[in-house]
Amino acid sequence: MERGLMKILYEDRYFGLREVAAGALGDDVPWKSALRAFVSEWCDSRDFIEVRTSGSTGMPKLIRLPKKAMAASARLTNAFFDISRDSVLMLSLPLSYIAGKMMVVRAFEAGAVLLPEPPSSLPLSFLHTKVKLGALVPLQVEDILSSGECHRFEKVENLLIGGGPLAQTARERLADIPTRFFATYGMTETASHTALMRLNGAEASACFEALEGVRFRRDESGCLCIHAPHIRESEFCTRDMVELVDERHFVWKGRLDYVINSGGIKFSPEELEDLVFREMEVPFYIGSLPDKRLGERIVMVVEDMEWPPEKRRKMDAVFRKLLPRHAIPREIIYTERIPRTKSGKIIRSRNMDS
């Protein structure tokens, strides 16, 4: 593949693709081995890349993505952010999943500089170079905000936030930071994002906007279907419930898989969580348990010790104030640790009594 004159900047030295593939960065830490392996895989004679899905909505699976589709997706993102050979792209996500791989492909397609920062909770701590485009998961963003190092965002001109929704409280803290923050909508099967949503500044929005050439519709279940001709000829229908604004814009409402039908009333747990998030001091999610009378009863899972009676009464009052009457959790389930994917996304248990 001839497109990339990509250079990798590590410890103030530039490395070419062949050097990286030959092991010039070393193999002393896992991220170096992973980068070497992916560069070698991208430049080999096969026309596909094997990628593992995140496993947040089911068992992780290995799929094959055409390199042409990945390259086309990268070019759309590069065009949106005006990525050129003079740009620096930051790689701070694991290369085991699509988000990390696609940052490498974007640099390759543009002939840009790739700056690898070892994946960590605070990947900007040692960043000394101005970056045109970076990508983090919500957990990393929230850790940076909590660390008191918000000023470090200013080294990044454009920052993609993907892998799950960013909490409203965190989004509000981004408002006055000059970095342009974007939530991403996409998945492994679509070779990264097909839509972006500006999170701060004068262009902040509640809607996702399609990348060039991508179109959306809603199926009979209220779920999003994606027509992305740069990836595949046929449309790709998801399990994400949306409010469709037009064929290029939508508001994400939640996963159809997680919809709770309690007494004939359907609730999206993600929307309920947004209503009470400000009042929660610990990680949590809303789910359900089978119920003979209601079909399903709403429960809340919290990563905490059992609440004493006084706190439970206080939180019940909060729930009654903020939630619809039939959406108030009928039970609190306490757990030492809520399972998460490697990107920090909560793995919801659909059947908690199994």
Side-chain angles (χ1 to χ4, degrees), residues 38 52 85 89 100 116 150 157 160 177 185 261 278 280 323 332 344:
F38 180 66
R52 189 168 297 278
R85 292 187 178 185
L89 308 188
C150 299
E157 183 177 341
L160 305 174
I177 299 174
Y185 178 83
N261 189 333
R278 293 174 184 277
M280 297 298 295
L323 293 172
I332 306 294

Side-chain angles (χ1 to χ4, degrees), residues 302-320:
V302 297
E303 195 173 86
D304 202 1
M305 302 289 288
E306 184 172 351
W307 293 340
E310 183 179 346
K311 181 171 182 178
R312 179 61 194 270
R313 286 193 295 270
K314 174 187 173 183
M315 294 309 299
D316 283 344
V318 168
F319 298 151
R320 287 195 298 271

Side-chain angles (χ1 to χ4, degrees), residues 266-284:
K266 294 182 179 179
F267 298 98
S268 166
E270 293 96 338
E271 290 186 286
L272 299 179
E273 289 159 6
D274 284 344
L275 294 175
V276 299
F277 187 90
R278 293 174 184 277
E279 304 297 329
M280 297 298 295
E281 299 173 349
V282 294
F284 77 101

Side-chain angles (χ1 to χ4, degrees), residues 52-307:
R52 189 168 297 278
T53 60
S54 67
S56 59
T57 59
M59 289 296 294
K61 58 183 178 180
L62 200 63
I63 64 172
R64 290 182 173 182
L65 278 179
K67 290 179 180 177
K68 286 184 178 180
M70 295 173 69
S73 173
R75 289 194 293 273
L76 285 180
T77 300
N78 287 348
F80 185 92
F81 291 107
D82 195 26
I83 304 299
S84 68
R85 292 187 178 185
D86 297 325
S87 302
V88 177
L89 308 188
M90 181 179 68
L91 173 64
S92 54
L93 295 173
L95 279 157
S96 47
Y97 294 103
I98 189 65
K101 296 179 191 296
M102 286 303 300
M103 193 61 77
V104 180
V105 179
R106 291 173 196 130
F108 184 90
E109 285 296 308
V113 175
L114 183 72
L115 178 66
E117 291 289 331
S120 70
S121 61
L122 299 173
L124 307 184
S125 294
F126 302 101
L127 184 63
H128 300 296
T129 302
K130 188 71 175 179
V131 169
K132 182 77 170 183
L133 181 66
L136 300 176
V137 297
L139 194 59
Q140 288 173 308
V141 174
E142 291 168 14
D143 283 342
I144 293 170
L145 290 171
S146 300
S147 72
E149 297 188 350
C150 299
H151 63 282
R152 298 192 182 278
F153 282 122
E154 297 180 19
K155 282 286 186 180
V156 184
E157 183 177 341
N158 302 286
L159 188 61
L160 305 174
I161 304 175
L166 185 68
Q168 181 62 29
T169 50
R171 177 173 174 171
E172 289 171 0
R173 294 185 64 186
L174 304 180
D176 298 324
I177 299 174
T179 300
R180 298 200 307 163
F181 295 93
F182 294 84
T184 65
Y185 178 83
M187 57 210 71
T188 306
E189 292 86 346
T190 59
S192 190
H193 53 263
T194 57
L196 297 169
M197 178 174 64
R198 181 71 183 271
L199 295 176
N200 68 335
E203 298 175 356
S205 173
C207 297
F208 281 97
E209 179 176 350
L211 293 182
E212 188 66 32
V214 177
R215 295 293 181 268
F216 301 118
R217 74 173 181 89
R218 200 169 72 152
D219 67 13
E220 60 276 6
S221 299
C223 291
L224 187 71
C225 292
I226 306 167
H227 177 62
H230 65 285
I231 297 172
R232 53 193 284 181
E233 292 184 6
S234 58
E235 70 176 8
F236 181 83
C237 288
T238 73
R239 302 286 287 175
D240 288 308
M241 299 182 301
V242 300
E243 175 187 328
L244 196 66
V245 178
D246 56 41
E247 64 177 8
R248 298 197 68 244
H249 300 85
F250 67 87
V251 178
W252 186 80
K253 307 299 285 186
R255 291 282 298 181
L256 181 63
D257 309 79
Y258 304 140
V259 167
I260 299 168
N261 189 333
S262 184
I265 304 174
K266 294 182 179 179
F267 298 98
S268 166
E270 293 96 338
E271 290 186 286
L272 299 179
E273 289 159 6
D274 284 344
L275 294 175
V276 299
F277 187 90
R278 293 174 184 277
E279 304 297 329
M280 297 298 295
E281 299 173 349
V282 294
F284 77 101
Y285 71 90
I286 288 176
S288 66
L289 283 170
D291 188 275
K292 290 182 178 179
R293 186 172 68 89
L294 298 171
E296 293 179 286
R297 66 180 182 274
I298 293 176
V299 301
M300 176 180 284
V301 180
V302 297
E303 195 173 86
D304 202 1
M305 302 289 288
E306 184 172 351
W307 293 340

